[in-house]
Amino acid sequence: MQAGCAALGIAPTAAQHDQLIDYLQLLLRWNRAYNLTAVRDPDEMVVRHLLDSLAVLPHLLGERVLDLGTGPGLPGLVLAIVAPECRVRLLDSNGKKVRFVRQAVLELGLANAEPVQARIETYRPGEKFSTIVSRAVAATDVLRVRETGLLDTPGRLLLMRAHHPEVDAAELPTEPFTVHRLQVPFLDGPRHLIAIEND
């Protein structure tokens, strides 16, 4: 964990490091009963969940972050831990995953993270977000948030993907975008980030 953070150029405080480990242990416990993630090996979780989420940190814009389809809190909970200056909304329609995220927020004492159970199509919180990030939702669904008014100006829409978006034409936005190759320590295989600016 520490070596991975160092490779990413991220230096969590001792308290943040402990929170990340506590989050992982909580995820392992809940996963046995609720099947929140297909990844079950703790070492693999560090790489595929924690370090993968942390790789997005330098690309955040502003302090109001919306994590679309957060699942068990990825990447939003991890970002909330290491970036306490950000206010992170964790959105998912799956009840058991939101219940886990609520418990994690409570146990970790994260005052800057707010879980919400709602569908992307109907979520209208009455505020805008400077960064909207998604790790698991289909690109076509995430791109639709541009029409909802959820993204602020300036704002940034971030889609985390394993493959380069050119592999799947459906992943390609019609508006201008930038693709960043994410270097996730100890991860076999590429990770990419599609970034769309709302100027």
Side-chain angles (χ1 to χ4, degrees):
M1 172 74 157
Q2 288 175 324
C5 286
L8 288 169
I10 297 169
T13 65
Q16 289 168 349
H17 180 271
D18 289 347
Q19 283 179 311
L20 289 169
I21 297 303
D22 288 346
Y23 165 68
L24 197 65
Q25 290 174 340
L26 187 65
L27 181 56
L28 280 164
R29 270 204 321 273
W30 276 62
N31 203 41
R32 284 193 284 269
Y34 294 101
N35 195 29
L36 300 170
T37 168
V39 182
R40 301 193 175 278
D41 177 71
D43 291 335
E44 198 177 350
M45 278 186 172
V46 169
V47 175
R48 295 183 54 159
H49 290 339
L50 298 188
L51 297 179
D52 185 61
S53 295
L54 289 171
V56 180
L57 186 63
H59 300 278
L60 297 185
L61 177 70
E63 297 178 352
R64 296 178 319 283
V65 179
L66 175 63
D67 179 6
L68 284 182
T70 191
L74 301 165
L77 259 182
V78 176
L79 297 173
I81 290 171
V82 296
E85 71 281 3
C86 289
R87 290 187 293 115
V88 183
R89 196 76 50 85
L90 304 143
L91 185 73
D92 206 284
S93 61
N94 184 302
K96 70 179 179 181
K97 291 179 178 175
V98 173
R99 279 194 297 278
F100 166 76
V101 173
R102 284 196 183 113
Q103 187 63 29
V105 166
L106 186 67
E107 290 195 24
L108 299 172
L110 294 174
N112 64 327
E114 182 185 349
V116 175
Q117 184 177 351
R119 298 187 64 80
I120 298 168
E121 301 83 7
T122 56
Y123 182 58
R124 300 295 179 271
E127 67 174 305
K128 294 177 183 288
F129 298 90
S130 47
T131 296
I132 297 178
V133 61
S134 182
R135 186 174 187 250
V137 178
T140 48
D141 292 334
V142 178
L143 293 171
R144 265 191 229 117
V145 304
R146 295 290 301 274
E147 303 157 14
T148 64
L150 291 174
L151 188 61
D152 206 352
T153 306
R156 184 172 292 158
L157 187 59
L158 299 174
L159 291 86
M160 301 170 68
R161 291 293 177 264
H163 301 291
H164 194 285
E166 288 177 1
V167 172
D168 182 359
E171 295 277 299
L172 287 170
T174 53
E175 55 266 74
F177 63 94
T178 307
V179 178
H180 304 277
R181 186 182 172 98
L182 300 178
Q183 299 295 334
V184 179
F186 315 116
L187 180 68
D188 291 330
R191 290 292 280 159
H192 296 88
L193 189 69
I194 304 171
I196 302 168
E197 305 294 333
N198 195 37
D199 300 321

